[in-house]
Amino acid sequence: MTHSIQPIGDRAFHLMTDSSSVVLEVGDGGHLELLWFGDPLRLDCATQLDGIRRPRGPLPGCTVDAGTMTDPPTSLHRQPMAFATAGKGDYRRPGLVIDGQGVLDLTCRGHRIIGGGVPDEVLPSADPEPDSQTLEVILADDLVGVTVTVRWTTFPAAGVFTVRTTVSNTGPESWRLLDVASVLIDLPDRGFDVITLDGWWGSEAHITRTSLGHQRLVNSSATGSSSTEHNPGTLLMESGAGEDHGRGYACNLLYSGSHATSYEGGSAGLVRMVSGINPEGFGWCLDPGADFVTPEAVLSYTASGTNGIARAMHRFVNASVVPRHWRHRERPIVLNNWEGTYLDFDLESLTEIAQGAAWLGAETFVLDDGWFGHRRDDETSGIGDWWANTEKLPGGLEALIARVQDLGLEFGLWVEPESVSQDSDLYRAHPEWAIHQPGRAPSLGRHQLLLDLTRDEVRDHLVLTMGRLLDDHPISFIKWDMNRLISDAHEAGFHHRYVLGLYDVLARVFGPRPHVLLESCSSGGNRFDLGMLTFGPQIWASDCTDAFERIAIQRGVGMLYPASTISAHVSAAPNHLTGRAASLDFRFAVSAPYVLGIELDPRQLSQEDMEVLRDRVAWYKTQRAVTQFGEHRWPDGAGDQHEQVVAIAGDRALAWIYARFPRRGVTPRPLRVPGTTGPVVLQQRFGRSPSTVQLPDGALAQGLPMPLLADGQALIFEIELGMGRSAMAARDGAEECI
Ligand code: GLA
């Protein structure tokens, strides 16, 4: 094992990845400071720290000295901190707030360096790499009786650090935690933009770029879910940074509940980043001796634009976040019947659809909503009753599964276990299990209530019911949905307790059944987050399957989540949600760089479309290692009227170019694969003029001219990089992606 954390002198620590360095130091006053977060450093001795330490005092104007003994005097407000609190002269957003305590002064009491990571028992934790180490720094305020343990773990190969905080009550009295950050750091202000992934149902993860200046910008969700409105992942990029150039950082959370990440510019030339559980609606009573553990935050630094961030985050998620069984394991092509039938199906129609799925080359047939209890066609009944509706499916699931398996397909099933319809046997038996406030009627969402997952008996019921469903049937794929936001949670901290309950259920259902592929879904992308990805390797990115809209959604989530996690289906035209029509080739080309699936009724396709789709599915299977696990990048400046996606795996690459509402006469940007040298063979697939060309050395690195494309037209290129990929790998200092 190589050490990725090196003590420098007796109070500084150098945390290293292959592409970045962090230097933490316990300052003169005992506070934890961040001296460096950026390009890899070679640090040999403590005297070299003088060069990267921020000069201290004398202090101009109206300030407050930190402590009483520092020389020269230091204002905490102007120091780059790695954890900070209020009351001693730092007026930026604090990392810890305890009810009734206006002053908290956390100073270092010790540290240790541990091999690997420090996983939590309930909250998701990233799996360490072989060379991962963890630095644990213990900070305390004896007057209040609080200890804060900050843990930084290195992920050297991915180029990522994770950080999490544990708060302990070491005093004799109980107190109430109002806010605690997973991570707090101050970075030198390089003139940053904050990139957030914002949207709504059907328009998730649109990229928003906001210049930060001296303000505080908060990206948050208060809905109880990581949310379609503001994904928990954010980027902080130099304002001139593009896809392939410029420095910046990313922060994400292994968490699926209400979150908040703030960036705060200020006069000190520092930007404070604070990320963790959303303090709005939060509150946690901590008795003497009790601990509170925060979700794990994920940080990455890049000197090479948003693609540099994507590369690090993608590697990290593929290697350390998704369940072990599914790491680098190719995902099946599913046909899901939802948009093909909605709730209107029976055994015969499903059998015909499954026959179509098999003919098209799909590998798993997924039966969506409507198969259970006394579910009617109006979505008002049945949720909670997870047994087959034998009016629709005589012979139960068994009969359908037998037919599906006879066709050579695996079987997958939709469930929404966290919800309950008022018109269900479960609700009639246990109305008290739904989240509600005594004396007030609970609000419905999509005609249903949510089960109170903070209750032991509710979780036990779900574990038993889902376990039985999986053990009694050969189900290889579960689409776990959740179609409403939390309401009527009248106790502070409920959202967090709900998420802990959900994680407990997921761990108990899927932990013993690792072979079942869990695709999580929450009205599409309402829980597209790293927490859910620790239980299931892919997520239904959006209920909007319109190819034009999906380009933007997939581009957004693709910034922080790898292609292997993004479930993307080819659906019918015109699109059911937007009414827009797109050619089958365009719809396929938009889904193909990710986890391809099909979401339509094959009986409605013409024979010609059936043949085209079958041909494309067969091709996808030959390219799956590249589409699902290649290194995906988006060439500099290609977005807007045209979009490009490139995926590289070893010496093979694929490129997709889409025309999305282009102005007349405007051609796409040249196709570029930066860093490629040596002979390259470029084959254009499908469309009207498939062709194969040998490229001169260096041409692809600079860019190939592209033809004029009509709106809704796409090009797909298969690229043999020959020696070129080795040159790229040498440049990146990177190992192969697959
Ligand atoms: C949600 C999901 C859809 C589908 C429906 C079924 O909206 O996002 O994909 O499963 O529920 O009701």
Side-chain angles (χ1 to χ4, degrees):
M1 179 183 146
T2 327
H3 291 290
S4 50
I5 300 183
Q6 191 188 1
I8 309 287
D10 55 4
R11 51 186 195 149
F13 310 92
H14 184 196
L15 286 65
M16 294 163 274
T17 76
D18 294 353
S19 52
S20 54
S21 277
V22 161
V23 181
L24 296 165
E25 184 181 45
V26 178
D28 294 338
H31 304 103
L32 187 63
E33 300 184 17
L34 179 71
L35 299 198
W36 185 266
F37 189 178
D39 290 334
L41 295 177
R42 280 199 49 195
L43 259 179
D44 305 314
C45 59
T47 50
Q48 290 175 331
L49 296 175
D50 290 340
I52 58 170
R53 201 176 279 123
R54 190 177 166 88
R56 292 169 192 264
L59 301 173
C62 239
T63 50
V64 172
D65 290 356
T68 49
M69 303 299 288
T70 58
D71 181 27
T74 305
S75 161
L76 290 175
H77 194 63
R78 303 183 71 81
Q79 284 305 114
M81 309 302 292
F83 201 82
T85 45
K88 297 298 278 179
D90 188 340
Y91 301 96
R92 298 165 289 179
R93 186 179 162 200
L96 177 68
V97 181
I98 294 174
D99 202 5
Q101 300 291 349
V103 182
L104 283 172
D105 195 17
L106 294 167
T107 52
C108 183
R109 303 307 159 86
H111 72 267
R112 41 182 200 140
I113 296 171
I114 307 160
V118 182
D120 186 61
E121 278 167 25
V122 182
L123 281 164
S125 304
D127 268 347
E129 297 175 359
D131 290 338
S132 290
Q133 287 186 293
T134 298
L135 170 68
E136 185 176 275
V137 179
I138 297 163
L139 308 166
D141 181 325
D142 297 330
L143 199 60
V144 173
V146 58
T147 296
V148 168
T149 307
V150 180
R151 293 194 180 91
W152 281 70
T153 302
T154 54
F155 291 78
V160 157
F161 302 92
T162 64
V163 190
R164 108 177 328 156
T165 305
T166 301
V167 186
S168 314
N169 183 345
T170 49
E173 310 281 340
S174 300
W175 37 255
R176 203 172 160 72
L177 196 56
L178 295 181
D179 186 11
V180 54
S182 293
V183 62
L184 177 153
I185 49 171
D186 294 327
L187 298 159
D189 191 348
R190 310 175 68 93
F192 285 118
D193 292 343
V194 176
I195 297 181
T196 49
L197 305 175
D198 307 318
W200 183 238
W201 174 69
S203 63
E204 293 86 341
H206 281 249
I207 296 170
T208 311
R209 193 162 176 151
T210 313
S211 168
L212 182 62
H214 276 201
Q215 67 208 312
R216 183 190 293 177
L217 187 151
V218 184
N219 178 73
S220 66
S221 150
T223 61
S225 326
S226 46
S227 102
T228 47
E229 279 185 278
H230 303 291
N231 191 280
T234 52
L235 288 83
L236 182 73
M237 301 297 295
E238 285 176 338
S239 54
E243 278 84 352
D244 282 322
H245 69 278
R247 291 184 153 73
Y249 303 86
C251 178
N252 206 348
L253 291 166
L254 275 89
Y255 192 55
S256 313
S258 299
H259 58 84
T261 299
S262 62
Y263 293 97
E264 183 175 356
S267 55
L270 294 167
V271 170
R272 170 159 294 179
M273 171 201 285
V274 184
S275 182
I277 294 172
N278 191 342
E280 277 174 43
F282 180 74
W284 205 270
C285 184
L286 226 54
D287 293 329
D291 294 337
F292 181 86
V293 182
T294 64
E296 193 166 24
V298 185
L299 299 177
S300 182
Y301 161 80
T302 183
S304 51
T306 55
N307 282 328
I309 291 290
R311 187 161 56 226
M313 289 300 198
H314 293 181
R315 284 183 184 173
F316 171 71
V317 174
N318 278 329
S320 295
V321 175
V322 300
R324 278 205 186 93
H325 181 85
W326 292 101
R327 286 186 197 157
H328 302 290
R329 187 183 290 257
E330 292 186 3
R331 317 281 200 260
I333 299 168
V334 309
L335 185 143
N336 177 307
N337 74 307
W338 177 242
E339 288 193 25
T341 64
Y342 298 102
L343 300 170
D344 182 14
F345 57 77
D346 58 23
L347 181 61
E348 292 317 314
S349 56
L350 291 180
T351 308
E352 285 170 21
I353 292 171
Q355 282 163 347
W359 193 87
L360 287 169
E363 295 150 328
T364 303
F365 173 75
V366 179
L367 173 57
D368 211 281
D369 191 354
W371 60 269
F372 47 85
H374 304 288
R375 184 70 154 165
R376 285 188 302 271
D377 290 356
D378 55 5
E379 296 178 353
T380 59
S381 56
I383 300 247
D385 299 341
W386 300 113
W387 58 86
N389 178 330
T390 43
E391 275 172 38
K392 280 181 164 180
L393 299 175
L397 284 175
E398 290 77 2
L400 176 65
I401 296 176
R403 292 186 185 192
V404 166
Q405 289 188 325
D406 282 350
L407 291 162
L409 297 170
E410 304 259 332
F411 183 74
L413 193 62
W414 178 96
V415 289
E416 192 180 344
E418 297 159 70
S419 295
V420 64
S421 307
Q422 284 176 312
D423 183 0
S424 67
D425 291 355
L426 181 68
Y427 187 76
R428 280 183 282 275
H430 291 290
E432 77 285 6
W433 282 8
I435 298 173
H436 69 286
Q437 180 173 24
R440 203 190 293 276
S443 294
L444 297 173
R446 212 199 190 199
H447 314 289
Q448 60 214 38
L449 297 170
L450 279 180
L451 293 173
D452 184 347
L453 266 55
T454 68
R455 297 171 69 130
D456 293 346
E457 65 276 32
V458 173
R459 295 199 305 279
D460 291 347
H461 168 79
L462 291 183
V463 171
L464 197 73
T465 313
M466 290 300 124
R468 258 196 218 134
L469 196 58
L470 289 170
D471 294 342
D472 291 352
H473 304 93
I475 295 172
S476 64
F477 182 108
I478 283 282
K479 179 175 172 190
W480 182 294
D481 207 344
M482 199 280 216
N483 277 314
R484 54 157 299 173
L485 307 175
I486 299 180
S487 68
D488 298 286
H490 54 288
E491 294 151 358
F494 182 90
H495 286 184
H496 182 60
R497 285 209 302 281
Y498 181 92
V499 174
L500 294 180
L502 170 66
Y503 290 157
D504 174 57
V505 172
L506 291 172
R508 285 158 65 195
V509 172
F510 293 98
R513 303 171 183 89
H515 58 280
V516 177
L517 197 165
L518 162 62
E519 174 174 280
S520 74
C521 169
S522 180
S523 294
N526 190 48
R527 268 197 320 214
F528 205 116
D529 61 67
L530 297 177
M532 293 309 288
L533 284 172
T534 62
F535 298 98
Q538 64 191 50
I539 300 178
W540 180 230
S542 176
D543 275 353
C544 186
T545 52
D546 175 338
F548 293 95
E549 176 63 32
R550 271 285 182 142
I551 290 174
I553 294 171
Q554 291 161 182
R555 170 75 184 95
V557 284
M559 270 199 165
L560 293 171
Y561 305 89
S564 65
T565 65
I566 303 171
S567 178
H569 294 184
V570 173
S571 64
N575 185 267
H576 294 182
L577 212 60
T578 64
R580 248 183 322 231
S583 72
L584 182 56
D585 264 328
F586 190 67
R587 283 175 278 149
F588 170 75
V590 170
S591 298
Y594 308 96
V595 179
L596 175 75
I598 304 169
E599 181 107 5
L600 45 71
D601 181 348
R603 297 172 304 172
Q604 306 296 325
L605 288 187
S606 65
Q607 189 55 34
E608 187 190 343
D609 277 356
M610 283 293 278
E611 271 157 30
V612 169
L613 190 51
R614 178 180 155 111
D615 176 62
R616 304 304 184 259
V617 166
W619 175 81
Y620 181 89
K621 287 179 182 167
T622 66
Q623 305 296 327
R624 200 163 6 194
V626 190
T627 60
Q628 295 185 355
F629 294 104
E631 178 188 304
H632 284 55
R633 54 170 75 201
W634 291 263
D636 232 348
D640 198 10
Q641 303 172 46
H642 300 95
E643 184 59 277
Q644 294 185 19
V645 188
V646 175
I648 306 159
D651 55 6
R652 291 161 66 198
L654 292 168
W656 293 265
I657 298 185
Y658 311 113
R660 180 174 177 267
F661 320 135
R663 270 206 316 280
R664 288 186 67 75
V666 177
T667 49
R669 296 281 176 97
L671 169 63
R672 287 184 66 224
V673 182
T676 42
T677 57
V680 169
V681 180
L682 187 77
Q683 188 184 8
Q684 189 192 322
R685 296 300 312 243
F686 316 121
R688 263 179 240 134
S689 48
S691 60
T692 303
V693 287
Q694 308 263 352
L695 297 182
D697 194 351
L700 193 57
Q702 189 176 323
L704 306 175
M706 289 290 110
L708 206 56
L709 297 180
D711 192 20
Q713 229 186 325
L715 300 175
I716 301 181
F717 295 99
E718 244 180 276
I719 308 168
E720 283 170 34
L721 291 166
M723 294 304 293
R725 178 58 186 155
S726 325
M728 278 187 70
R731 186 212 56 178
D732 292 345
E735 82 284 13
E736 298 293 307
C737 292
I738 53 166

